[in-house]
Amino acid sequence: MNGVGSVRELEKETDKESPLHSMDGRVKLILLIFIIVYAVFSTQIAVMIFLEIYLLLLIYISTVSFKTTVTRVLLLLPFGGFIIAFQPFIHPGNVIWSGAFGIQVTDGGLMWAALLMSRLIVSLTSIVLLSSISPMQEVVESFRKLGMPREFAMILSLMIRFLFMFYDELHRISHAQKARCFDAFNKKLSYKWRMKQLGYTVAMMFLRAYEQGETVYLSMASRGFSEKSKLYHDRKKKIGSQEYAFIASTLGVVACLQILAMSFFYQWGLMGINIA
Amino acid sequence: MHIPDGFIPLWQCAIYYVILIVALYFSLQWARKNLDEKAVPLMAVLAAGIFAIMSMNMPIPFGTSGHMVGGALVAIVFCAPEAAVIIFTLVLLIQALFFGDGGITALGANVLNMGIVGGFVGLYTFKGLRKPIGKYPAIFIAAWLAIFLAAELAAVEMWIAGTFPLEAGLASMGIYHFFIGIIEGILTVVVIYALEKLRPDLLAWNKNKKLGEQKAEESEVTAK
C-alpha cells in the first residue's frame, strides 16, 4: 500500500506546470469523480476503452509521466484483481471450459471479469491523474469550497499535515529497529515478542506524533487558528476559459459515449454488449 | 477490505452513501460539542496514524501478512463511535482519491464497514465486556470482533452486489480476518496500554480524573 515514498512522490508530481495543474481544484475533482461514476454506471467495454483513451489524452496534456502512471495503475490493480480473477469460475453463464474438480469457466463470467477489470483500470487512471495534478491541500480546499463542514475540513487539513510527520516518525523508528537487526518477519524470534515490539512501535509512533502535533496545533491556535481560518492560499485561481474547456470536453465525451452506447456500440460484438 | 470502484452497482452505492450522510450528520453534532484544543490534534493525529498503520504490514500465521484497521481503537480512545465515523470517512476519502485504495463510489460501503460497524461494534463490545472480563481482555475482543464483522459485512455487500458468492466470501474473508483480528486485538491492547501509562489524559474515560496534566508532564515520550 501507500508509504512515505509514494506520498512524497505524489506531492512532487503536483509541482509540475501544465494547463491541468493550474486549473481550479474543484473542477478537476468533480470532473474526474464524474468520469469514475460514469464508468461504474456503464456496462459496455467499448465505453471503458474510449474513457481510458480520453484519460490518457489528459495525462499527455498534464505532462505527467506515462511510465509513472502505468506503474501506479499496475501496482494498484492486484487489490481488485484478486476478486476479478475468480469471476470466470463463479459467475453464471454458458460453460465454455470444464476442468478437474468440477472447475468451470463461463462466458458470462469472462465478460463480467473483463468489464470489472476495465472499470477498475479507468477508475485507477482517473485517480492517478487527479492525484498527480492536485496537491492534497488543494483537494482539501476544494472540498471546503464545495461545502464540507468546517470541522471536517480542519481535521482533514491537519491530518494531511500530520501525515508527513507521522511517516517521518515511522521512518525514524523503523530505522532504529533495523540498526538493531529487528525483523518482524523473522520466524526465529518468538511471535509474542515480535507482536509486543510492533505494538510498542505503533504506540510510540502515535505518542511521539501526537506530542509533536499537539505542540504544532497549540502554537497555531495561539496565533488565532480555528476551524474558520483559511488554511490554504490557492494562488487566486478562478474558473476561466481553461476550466470551461475542460468541463465542455469532459461532458461532451461522456454525452457522445452515452449516445453511442445506446445506438451504435451494440454492432461491435463483445465490446458493445451490455454486461449484467 | 477496501472495496474498489466498479464492484458495487451505483444504486447500491447510493444507499451506502445515504447511510454515510446520516452517520456524518450525527458525528458532526458530536464533533461540535466535543472537539476542544486537546481533541482536535488527537483526532487529526489518530487519522494520520490510522493512515500510516494501514501501510504497516504485520506477520500473520501461515506466512501471509495483513494490516491493522483501527476502528475499535479510535472509538475506544474517544469513547465515541462518531469519532471513528469522522476519522474513517476522511482517511478512506484520501486513500480513495490519492492512492486508489478503496473506491470513491464505494466510499459509503467502506466507511460503513470500517468506521460505522468497526466503531460501534468496537466501543459497545468493550463497554459490555469491560466489567465482566476486565479492561484489556475486553479491548482485545472488541478490536477482534470489530475487524472480523467489518470484513464479513464487506463479503455480504459484495454478494448483494453480485460480485462474489456469499459462502465463499464469508469463508475467505472470515478465515483471513480471524487472524488479522488477533493482531488487531493485540496491537489495540498495546496502544491503549501505552496511552494509559504514558498519556492517560488522552483517553476519554480519564477525562474527569484530573490526572492528565500531571501525567502529561511526566511523559517518557516528551522526556525523550
Side-chain angles (χ1 to χ4, degrees):
Chain A
M1 220 195 86
N2 39 56
V4 65
S6 55
V7 174
R8 293 242 156 87
E9 278 167 25
L10 269 182
E11 288 295 292
K12 273 183 196 167
E13 279 286 340
T14 59
D15 282 341
K16 287 184 175 173
E17 292 287 332
S18 83
L20 282 169
H21 281 85
S22 58
M23 255 180 219
D24 186 280
R26 287 168 295 177
V27 175
K28 292 185 272 188
L29 183 68
I30 291 172
L31 289 180
L32 288 168
I33 289 177
F34 176 65
I35 289 174
I36 295 173
V37 172
Y38 181 62
V40 176
F41 164 77
S42 187
T43 52
Q44 290 171 317
I45 294 172
V47 172
M48 305 302 157
I49 292 170
F50 282 102
L51 281 177
E52 187 66 14
I53 291 170
Y54 179 62
L55 287 170
L56 292 175
L57 187 69
L58 292 177
I59 288 168
Y60 174 74
I61 295 168
S62 70
T63 69
V64 173
S65 152
F66 276 107
K67 194 183 163 192
T68 312
T69 306
V70 172
T71 309
R72 281 190 61 204
V73 170
L74 288 176
L75 282 173
L76 290 167
L77 271 181
F79 294 107
F82 179 74
I83 296 166
I84 294 171
F86 280 100
Q87 297 305 318
F89 307 101
I90 58 174
H91 207 79
N94 300 317
V95 178
I96 53 172
W97 181 82
S98 290
F101 309 111
I103 296 171
Q104 292 179 328
V105 174
T106 63
D107 56 352
L110 276 176
M111 290 307 293
W112 180 243
L115 178 72
L116 285 184
M117 183 56 88
S118 56
R119 270 183 188 165
L120 193 60
I121 291 171
V122 169
S123 307
L124 292 176
T125 311
S126 198
I127 288 302
V128 169
L129 175 63
L130 175 68
S131 57
S132 303
I133 58 175
S134 313
M136 285 184 175
Q137 288 293 358
E138 184 184 271
V139 174
V140 176
E141 184 62 19
S142 302
F143 274 119
R144 203 166 174 171
K145 283 178 182 170
L146 291 168
M148 181 185 257
R150 286 169 178 167
E151 290 80 3
F152 293 169
M154 179 174 68
I155 296 167
L156 184 58
S157 176
L158 284 171
M159 177 193 116
I160 288 167
R161 282 159 195 249
F162 290 163
L163 194 60
F164 292 94
M165 202 172 72
F166 224 103
Y167 276 118
D168 283 342
E169 282 301 331
L170 179 62
H171 187 67
R172 217 168 289 154
I173 291 171
S174 65
H175 218 72
Q177 285 178 337
K178 273 181 192 163
R180 290 163 179 79
C181 300
F182 174 74
D183 178 10
F185 291 86
N186 185 348
K187 288 179 182 169
K188 287 178 184 169
L189 299 169
S190 135
Y191 190 75
K192 195 179 162 190
W193 186 82
R194 282 187 283 156
M195 278 298 107
K196 198 177 163 189
Q197 295 310 312
L198 282 175
Y200 274 117
T201 304
V202 174
M204 281 302 115
M205 192 173 75
F206 172 73
L207 280 169
R208 284 187 190 182
Y210 173 76
E211 295 197 343
Q212 280 187 29
E214 187 183 41
T215 310
V216 171
Y217 177 76
L218 289 176
S219 58
M220 285 163 77
S222 66
R223 286 163 178 82
F225 170 80
S226 73
E227 74 275 9
K228 291 172 188 165
S229 308
K230 196 170 170 60
L231 289 167
Y232 178 70
H233 302 286
D234 57 354
R235 296 173 237 153
K236 293 188 177 171
K237 283 179 193 167
K238 284 179 183 170
I239 295 180
S241 55
Q242 278 186 342
E243 282 82 358
Y244 286 121
F246 186 36
I247 293 169
S249 67
T250 305
L251 292 182
V253 165
V254 169
C256 287
L257 283 176
Q258 189 53 30
I259 291 166
L260 290 170
M262 291 191 296
S263 61
F264 181 70
F265 285 154
Y266 68 89
Q267 297 172 25
W268 285 22
L270 291 176
M271 294 286 186
I273 56 168
N274 280 307
I275 302 163
Chain B
M1 207 193 297
H2 293 59
I3 302 172
D5 281 312
F7 284 49
I8 298 180
L10 270 187
W11 67 271
Q12 289 178 24
C13 292
I15 294 171
Y16 296 127
Y17 262 98
V18 170
I19 296 170
L20 172 62
I21 289 166
V22 172
L24 281 176
Y25 171 78
F26 288 107
S27 302
L28 184 63
Q29 307 303 317
W30 173 86
R32 284 182 177 151
K33 272 185 200 165
N34 294 282
L35 286 188
D36 54 19
E37 76 279 358
K38 208 157 227 160
V40 170
L42 179 60
M43 195 166 246
V45 164
L46 260 176
I50 295 295
F51 205 104
I53 283 166
M54 282 188 184
S55 70
M56 270 179 72
N57 277 327
M58 316 286 177
I60 292 176
F62 308 128
T64 55
S65 69
H67 62 78
M68 265 185 89
V69 172
L73 172 69
V74 175
I76 292 170
V77 166
F78 281 95
C79 272
E82 294 91 341
V85 175
I86 296 172
I87 286 178
F88 275 87
T89 303
L90 300 179
V91 167
L92 290 169
L93 182 68
I94 294 298
Q95 284 187 338
L97 285 178
F98 285 90
F99 302 99
D101 202 9
I104 192 73
T105 55
L107 181 72
N110 285 328
V111 176
L112 173 64
N113 303 340
M114 289 180 254
I116 302 175
V117 170
F120 273 90
V121 170
L123 181 64
Y124 291 105
T125 305
F126 165 66
K127 281 188 170 178
L129 295 177
R130 191 180 177 180
K131 278 186 184 169
I133 64 170
K135 195 195 307 178
Y136 291 108
I139 291 170
F140 175 82
I141 293 172
W144 180 85
L145 199 60
I147 194 168
F148 184 77
L149 287 182
E152 293 293 55
L153 184 59
V156 172
E157 285 161 0
M158 300 282 266
W159 169 66
I160 295 170
T163 314
F164 214 78
L166 185 62
E167 294 83 6
L170 287 175
S172 57
M173 291 290 269
I175 292 167
Y176 191 63
H177 286 88
F178 177 89
F179 292 106
I180 291 185
I182 294 172
I183 314 297
E184 172 102 357
I186 294 169
L187 294 182
T188 307
V189 166
V190 174
V191 170
I192 293 179
Y193 178 79
L195 284 177
E196 187 79 276
K197 289 280 170 203
L198 303 171
R199 286 297 301 266
D201 55 308
L202 299 182
L203 295 168
W205 62 69
N206 289 329
K207 213 172 181 180
N208 301 320
K209 286 189 184 169
K210 298 239 173 198
L211 43 71
E213 286 173 31
Q214 187 196 341
K215 282 277 183 184
E217 284 168 16
E218 288 171 3
S219 167
E220 288 173 27
V221 180
T222 314
K224 278 176 188 172

